[in-house]
Amino acid sequence: MQFSERVGYIVWVSDLKAARTLEKYGSVHYMSRKMHYVVMYMNADRADETVRNMQRLSFVRRIERSYRNEIKTEYTQGVPDKTRFYSL
């Protein structure tokens, strides 16, 4: 089974009840009730078209792309760990 490339977006909304309709544009990962935003993922090949359609919705304030998958998560041990010298 081949998984398609996914892209994350943060959608700032004015109405959380209406934000439930965003599920038809992609998979909703998280909805913040306090700060009024939705974290969602969608297919990368149709992301531009989907974002244009979502911006037309009346409850969408702005849409930001998430760069979480582009952040380096592999770390090197370039600097020696000094915590072992100060242990009890």
Side-chain angles (χ1 to χ4, degrees):
M1 183 169 158
Q2 180 71 20
F3 290 109
S4 61
E5 185 71 25
R6 307 280 281 169
V7 135
Y9 281 93
I10 293 97
V11 183
W12 296 89
V13 295
S14 58
D15 184 16
L16 280 176
K17 274 193 176 180
R20 292 182 189 158
T21 62
L22 290 175
E23 290 180 354
K24 67 181 181 181
Y25 295 102
S27 58
V28 173
H29 180 69
Y30 178 74
M31 293 177 91
S32 171
R33 292 188 174 143
K34 186 176 180 182
M35 296 182 64
H36 292 276
Y37 70 89
V38 176
V39 178
M40 63 183 302
Y41 292 93
M42 62 188 76
N43 292 337
D45 53 349
R46 302 184 69 206
D48 294 333
E49 175 187 345
T50 307
V51 168
R52 278 195 300 273
N53 291 336
M54 284 193 312
Q55 284 175 337
R56 294 184 186 135
L57 300 172
S58 60
F59 59 88
V60 174
R61 289 186 188 161
R62 75 175 189 263
I63 301 174
E64 298 176 6
R65 189 169 182 288
S66 173
Y67 295 102
R68 184 170 189 247
N69 60 346
E70 297 172 14
I71 295 174
K72 187 179 93 167
T73 56
E74 293 142 9
Y75 306 106
T76 59
Q77 188 68 23
V79 179
D81 187 17
K82 294 183 180 178
T83 57
R84 60 186 166 155
F85 296 118
Y86 301 110
S87 64
L88 295 174

